[in-house]
Amino acid sequence: MENKTFTISVYSENNVGLLNRISGIFLKRHINILSLNVSESEIENVSRFIIVVDTTEKWVQNIVGQIEKQIEVIKAFYHIDEETIFLENALFKIQSNLLFDEREIQNIIKESHSEIVTVARDFFVISKSGQRNEIEALYDKLKPFGIMQFVRSGRISVSKEKMEISSLLETLSNQ
C-alpha cells in the first residue's frame, strides 16, 4: 500500500488529556502529524479534531480504531483529499515602509487574493486563506522583501459527503 494524505475527523467530548492520548496513538506508530486543529463542531458541546497524516490506508484504519476506543470520542472518520474541501490560513507580518516603497508587494497581494488586515507605523499584516501550495507560493514571493513574522494554521476541512455524526448523536440521545 502506498502512502497518501488522510484527513482524520474526530468528534469528542471536550475533556482534559484527550489530545495527549490521541497524539500518543500516533507516536506509538511513528506517524508524524502534519497538521492538527481542534475547534467546536456543528454539534453543541462536541469538539472536532482535524488531524492530517501521510500514511497508508491500513495504518489510518488502525489509528481511527484506536482513537474511537478513547472514552470521550464519539466517532472518528478519515478521508482522502479528494473527498474533502480544505483550507489553511496564514498571516505574514512585513515592514510597513515596503507597502509604500515597493509597488511589487501591492501586486503580489492582489494577484494572490490576499488581504491586508492591519497597517501600523512599523508593520502591516497580510492574511491569506487557501491550499498549502498557495500559501507557500505567497511565502516564496514575499521572502525576498523580508518577512518579520509568519504563522500558518492547521488544515480546516469539511467532507463533501454527508457525515453521519448528527444522525448517530440523535440515535444516542433517544435511547
Side-chain angles (χ1 to χ4, degrees):
M1 289 188 139
E2 68 181 70
N3 279 16
K4 290 184 187 176
T5 300
F6 291 94
T7 301
I8 301 170
S9 296
V10 180
Y11 287 85
S12 72
E13 298 172 17
N14 190 7
N15 288 356
V16 174
L18 180 59
L19 176 59
N20 191 35
R21 290 193 308 279
I22 287 175
S23 65
I25 292 169
F26 293 91
L27 178 65
K28 285 182 210 169
R29 289 160 181 74
H30 302 283
I31 295 175
N32 189 37
I33 295 174
L34 303 175
S35 172
L36 172 66
N37 185 47
V38 183
S39 69
E40 298 172 338
S41 74
E42 66 276 17
I43 304 157
E44 190 175 338
N45 299 319
V46 174
S47 294
R48 183 173 179 192
F49 292 70
I50 303 289
I51 306 165
V52 180
V53 294
D54 186 45
T55 190
T56 64
E57 187 161 11
K58 179 182 178 208
W59 276 110
V60 82
Q61 288 171 347
N62 290 340
I63 289 166
V64 166
Q66 288 297 307
I67 290 171
E68 286 188 328
K69 288 181 182 178
Q70 301 300 311
I71 193 132
E72 304 93 332
V73 172
I74 299 163
K75 187 70 178 156
F77 303 89
Y78 71 91
H79 297 95
I80 58 174
D81 285 354
E82 293 77 19
E83 297 171 334
T84 64
I85 299 163
F86 57 92
L87 293 174
E88 295 181 2
N89 296 302
L91 296 175
F92 300 83
K93 182 178 173 183
I94 311 282
Q95 291 179 12
S96 60
N97 65 312
L98 294 172
L99 183 59
F100 307 106
D101 297 342
E102 295 286 345
R103 188 82 176 143
E104 190 178 343
I105 290 217
Q106 293 177 25
N107 292 335
I108 291 169
I109 294 168
K110 185 177 180 180
E111 291 168 4
S112 67
H113 304 287
S114 303
E115 63 180 274
I116 298 172
V117 293
T118 191
V119 178
R121 179 180 304 275
D122 298 328
F123 64 89
F124 69 100
V125 176
I126 300 168
S127 173
K128 170 69 179 155
S129 291
Q131 305 246 329
R132 181 171 284 247
N133 61 341
E134 296 170 318
I135 292 170
E136 288 172 351
L138 179 58
Y139 182 92
D140 291 342
K141 288 178 181 175
L142 292 173
K143 189 172 181 175
F145 297 99
I147 299 171
M148 297 170 71
Q149 289 183 37
F150 169 75
V151 64
R152 177 176 46 219
S153 73
R155 177 182 286 193
I156 54 175
S157 169
V158 294
S159 65
K160 290 180 181 177
E161 295 294 320
K162 181 180 177 186
M163 289 178 65
E164 300 300 324
I165 186 70
S166 297
S167 302
L168 175 67
L169 287 174
E170 280 179 28
T171 303
L172 292 173
S173 66
N174 292 333
Q175 291 180 350

